[in-house]
Amino acid sequence: MTVWTRMSATDLAGLIASGEASSEEVTKAHLDRVAAVDPQVHAFLHVDAERALDAARRVDQKRAAGEPLSPLAGVPVGVKDAFTLVDTPTTAGSKILEGWRPPYTATVVQRLLDADMVVIGKTNMDEFAMGSSTENSAYGPTHNPWDLDRVPGGSGGGSAAALAAFEVPVTIGSDTGGSIRQPAAVTGTVGVKPTYGSSSRYGLIAMASSLDQPGPCARTVLDAALLHQVMSGHDPRDSTSIDLPGPDVVSAARRCDVTGMRIGIVKEFGGDGYAPGVERRFAEAVETLADAGAEIVEVSCPHFPVALGAYYLIMPSEVSSNLARFDAMRYGHRVGDDGTRSVEQVMRLSRGAGLGAETKRRIILGTYALSSGYYDAYYGSAQKVRTLIIQDFTAAFEKVDVLVSPTTPTTAFRLGERVDDPMAMYKADLCTIPSNLAGNAAASFPAGLAPEDGLPVGVQVMAPPMRDDLLYQVGAVLEASLQARWGGPLLDQISQEGVR
Amino acid sequence: MALTHADVARLAALARIEMTDEELAHTAGQLDTILDAVAAVSQVASADVAPTSHALALTNVMRADEVKPSLPVDAVLAMAPATEDERIRVPRILQEEDE
């Protein structure tokens, strides 16, 4: 039965469609795998086996009745706990939402269900998606399947670790500053942040609304493309949703050709602070693209080094506003309501008890950055830097088709290593943040293992807005040529210390 | 610029977050580190650069003003921490000046 859990979503869907496998047996195999390894990995916060098996049986009945099936019908999928699913516990990794069962379903999750995918559970994350390690989850960290003493990245560490541990073939995440791409990089998986506005935020518990974007996580480039196609598209319930057809990402993933493509290396991302193994694997990935016929040039994006600072003013400002809704009045965990205290006292006690340290820190930072007398110096200046970042991208995309960089400066760090050093933690997102500020498409693909620690390295590809197809075109070439070098998928190299 | 314990206490009060003295002191130190690290932002942002609040050029999205079913009352009340007579019960909101 183990064989089902090692397969791609594309292959599983093919077997289910042809009747060689039932969705029920495929789903059961994945649930068994979750039961076997998740006590060590802790990728899931909630698993609903009965609901998943019911959904799987419905797909099998549809097939038996000859009804048309979508390209991922019957395939198990994990959903980051930041997305609502009706009547299913949804916490966003926070104590303040413990026990909350939302009365509605997020649009991107509904699209998975409409495509007959089988949701098996909700994946772990840093509280309200704030963090780069999942250590800020109120329910305990997720462990990296490559080495259980290491973090799986964050905030979507659960969605990435579930893939690397073969608990589920595909998952969805949300990316505000790198929360899909950085976990993908440090777990040896694929993660895509679509163009801002191309996948709906309706039902995604908001962190920083001008930056948040749902996207696919997978073990293969084609699986990510198929999931991208299922989940994206215009949604009238999201006022920032783009009302235009998206690019054909599936054809791009199948094309697997970069002949004549102009690829720019971001000059500012490398050197001091980057692990030698990360730089070596990144250089190799670039060589691979050159060998495949791409034209490689170096491009300067002079304001990218300031993006991290601008992000840590803009994001907390939006956080301080968005998280005001968690006041424990209409929903959420209420504390201290003993009949003697005022509404304000109860709000303070509930938020004090229900929110974690990182969440409090960012709310207070945002409150400060927006306060009278400091607004111009902080939030106002950061908005100007956002303009400069967009200008850097625009100028770069006049010279090249896509930009590349390492996804994150180091491989997975140890659990506990950065929890008391916020700036060290924040630097994990140094290379991913510019694309959130500018709203363009970006992705992380596996680039091999760092020689010094044997841990995965990711290469980031950045494309212009609404050219998400270029990400998949480049990703497919990297996957094909690097797997030829490795002799198979990177995840086959997980050592005995990890979860095999 | 160093944030004092009192500054952070004031911000926490504005944000409606109860924090212990220990939490306030720890947070003040960490916020200083973060503010030092982001100081370059105001140096780069010169007067001639226009601010960007959002990656998309946003316009208001309008929809027809039609009556549609809302969430069922039962579903909304099921989420509430406390209810009374088909309504959400909250702590008292008046007479706070007496405290």
Side-chain angles (χ1 to χ4, degrees), chain A residues 334 340 360-361 383 387, chain B residues 23 30 50 52 79 89 92:
Chain A
R334 193 185 286 179
T340 69
K360 290 175 183 171
R361 185 153 61 223
Q383 286 188 308
T387 305
Chain B
E23 273 185 293
Q30 293 193 320
T52 299
M79 296 189 290
R89 199 179 65 74
R92 65 186 163 83

Side-chain angles (χ1 to χ4, degrees), chain A residues 289-465:
Chain A
L289 294 169
D291 292 346
E295 182 193 331
I296 311 291
V297 293
E298 198 170 73
V299 176
S300 175
C301 296
H303 301 97
F304 279 18
V306 214
L308 183 73
Y311 176 79
Y312 272 94
L313 292 167
I314 291 169
M315 174 272 296
S317 297
E318 295 190 24
V319 161
S320 72
S321 167
N322 266 328
L323 269 63
R325 64 169 60 87
F326 299 105
D327 57 11
M329 293 297 116
R330 295 148 298 159
Y331 51 85
H333 186 51
R334 193 185 286 179
V335 174
D337 186 12
D338 61 1
T340 69
R341 293 194 175 96
S342 70
V343 72
E344 184 173 327
Q345 286 173 317
V346 172
M347 283 181 190
R348 285 180 59 144
L349 288 168
S350 299
R351 286 161 67 81
L355 302 175
E358 179 66 19
T359 301
K360 290 175 183 171
R361 185 153 61 223
R362 294 197 194 185
I363 290 173
I364 290 172
L365 180 58
T367 305
Y368 180 60
L370 291 174
S371 60
S372 170
Y374 299 100
Y375 180 94
D376 287 342
Y378 290 125
Y379 187 67
S381 297
Q383 286 188 308
K384 290 181 174 186
V385 169
R386 196 166 185 179
T387 305
L388 297 170
I389 300 288
I390 292 171
Q391 288 172 357
D392 279 1
F393 270 119
T394 306
F397 289 136
E398 280 167 11
K399 293 182 218 129
V400 295
D401 299 304
V402 296
L403 290 167
V404 291
S405 76
T407 305
T408 182
T410 68
T411 56
F413 42 92
R414 289 184 190 284
L415 285 156
E417 193 179 309
R418 299 190 186 179
V419 280
D420 280 325
D421 187 351
M423 283 320 296
M425 185 72 89
Y426 299 168
K427 279 178 184 161
D429 292 335
L430 198 62
C431 310
T432 46
I433 281 169
S435 294
N436 296 92
L437 291 173
N440 60 288
S444 179
F445 302 104
L449 304 181
E452 61 266 31
D453 54 19
L455 292 167
V457 172
V459 53
Q460 179 178 227
V461 183
M462 295 164 270

Side-chain angles (χ1 to χ4, degrees), chain A residues 100-104 196-197 209-210 236 239-240 242 303 306 308-310 312-314 318 328-332 334 337 339-349 351-353 355 360-361 363-365 367-368 371 374 377-388 390 419-423 426 436-439, chain B residues 1-3 7-20 23-24 26-56 58-61 63 71-72 75-83 88-96 99:
Chain A
W100 183 56
R101 288 176 185 257
Y104 70 109
Y196 183 89
S209 303
S210 82
S239 65
T240 60
I242 297 173
H303 301 97
V306 214
L308 183 73
Y312 272 94
L313 292 167
I314 291 169
E318 295 190 24
M329 293 297 116
R330 295 148 298 159
Y331 51 85
R334 193 185 286 179
D337 186 12
T340 69
R341 293 194 175 96
S342 70
V343 72
E344 184 173 327
Q345 286 173 317
V346 172
M347 283 181 190
R348 285 180 59 144
L349 288 168
R351 286 161 67 81
L355 302 175
K360 290 175 183 171
R361 185 153 61 223
I363 290 173
I364 290 172
L365 180 58
T367 305
Y368 180 60
S371 60
Y374 299 100
Y378 290 125
Y379 187 67
S381 297
Q383 286 188 308
K384 290 181 174 186
V385 169
R386 196 166 185 179
T387 305
L388 297 170
I390 292 171
V419 280
D420 280 325
D421 187 351
M423 283 320 296
Y426 299 168
N436 296 92
L437 291 173
Chain B
M1 132 182 26
L3 280 176
D7 290 334
V8 180
R10 188 180 56 85
L11 293 165
L14 285 172
R16 307 286 187 268
I17 300 173
E18 191 73 25
M19 287 172 83
T20 62
E23 273 185 293
L24 290 171
H26 191 60
T27 304
Q30 293 193 320
L31 290 179
D32 276 342
T33 310
I34 297 166
L35 290 171
D36 277 349
V38 304
V41 169
S42 52
Q43 289 151 23
V44 172
S46 53
D48 56 336
V49 180
T52 299
S53 61
H54 208 278
L56 295 177
L58 288 172
T59 50
N60 279 334
V61 177
R63 61 175 161 77
L71 286 174
V76 174
L77 291 176
M79 296 189 290
T83 60
I88 294 169
R89 199 179 65 74
V90 299
R92 65 186 163 83
I93 56 170
L94 297 175
Q95 297 172 336
E96 290 187 326
E99 292 172 62

Side-chain angles (χ1 to χ4, degrees), chain A residues 61-69:
Chain A
Q61 284 159 11
K62 267 181 106 166
R63 198 201 73 84
E67 290 178 43
L69 296 174

Side-chain angles (χ1 to χ4, degrees), chain A residues 24-276:
Chain A
E24 186 178 0
E25 64 187 316
V26 166
T27 301
K28 178 77 169 45
H30 285 90
L31 289 167
D32 288 348
R33 177 73 180 170
V34 171
V37 304
D38 212 54
Q40 292 166 275
V41 178
H42 195 226
F44 283 91
L45 290 178
H46 176 77
V47 174
D48 195 336
E50 279 317 303
R51 186 167 168 158
L53 290 167
D54 282 348
R57 283 189 283 264
R58 279 199 301 278
V59 177
D60 291 333
Q61 284 159 11
K62 267 181 106 166
R63 198 201 73 84
E67 290 178 43
L69 296 174
S70 88
L72 290 175
V75 173
V77 58
V79 171
K80 189 180 185 182
D81 206 31
F83 295 95
T84 60
L85 173 55
V86 68
D87 289 337
T88 301
T90 298
T91 67
S94 182
K95 280 284 179 216
I96 207 162
L97 285 179
E98 190 166 23
W100 183 56
R101 288 176 185 257
Y104 70 109
T105 299
T107 296
V108 291
V109 179
Q110 190 58 51
R111 287 187 177 162
L112 306 181
L113 299 173
D114 292 346
D116 291 316
M117 296 189 75
V118 175
V119 174
I120 74 162
K122 307 295 292 291
T123 59
N124 198 13
M125 57 187 285
D126 286 299
E127 184 177 24
F128 292 116
M130 300 183 206
S132 305
S133 68
T134 72
E135 291 168 294
N136 297 329
S137 167
Y139 304 96
T142 298
H143 299 258
N144 192 323
W146 287 84
D147 176 347
L148 294 169
D149 293 332
R150 306 256 176 181
V151 304
S155 67
S159 279
L163 301 172
F166 296 94
E167 295 176 83
V168 69
V170 280
T171 54
I172 63 168
S174 62
D175 192 312
T176 305
S179 284
I180 289 174
R181 290 163 287 162
Q182 182 257 358
V186 302
T187 57
T189 58
V190 175
V192 179
K193 183 202 87 74
T195 298
Y196 183 89
S198 62
S199 63
S200 169
R201 293 184 297 106
Y202 178 78
L204 167 63
I205 296 172
M207 173 188 171
S209 303
S210 82
L211 306 164
D212 299 341
Q213 190 60 199
C217 315
R219 288 193 294 259
T220 75
V221 175
L222 183 57
D223 282 1
L226 286 164
L227 189 59
H228 188 128
Q229 196 169 57
V230 165
M231 68 192 287
S232 62
H234 179 244
D235 178 13
R237 286 172 152 158
D238 173 359
S239 65
T240 60
S241 175
I242 297 173
D243 194 3
L244 290 170
D248 185 350
V249 292
V250 174
S251 297
R254 291 206 167 104
R255 188 173 317 141
C256 193
D257 179 17
V258 291
T259 312
M261 192 185 274
R262 293 165 305 160
I263 297 180
I265 300 172
V266 178
K267 200 175 96 183
E268 285 76 10
F269 287 156
D272 205 23
Y274 289 74

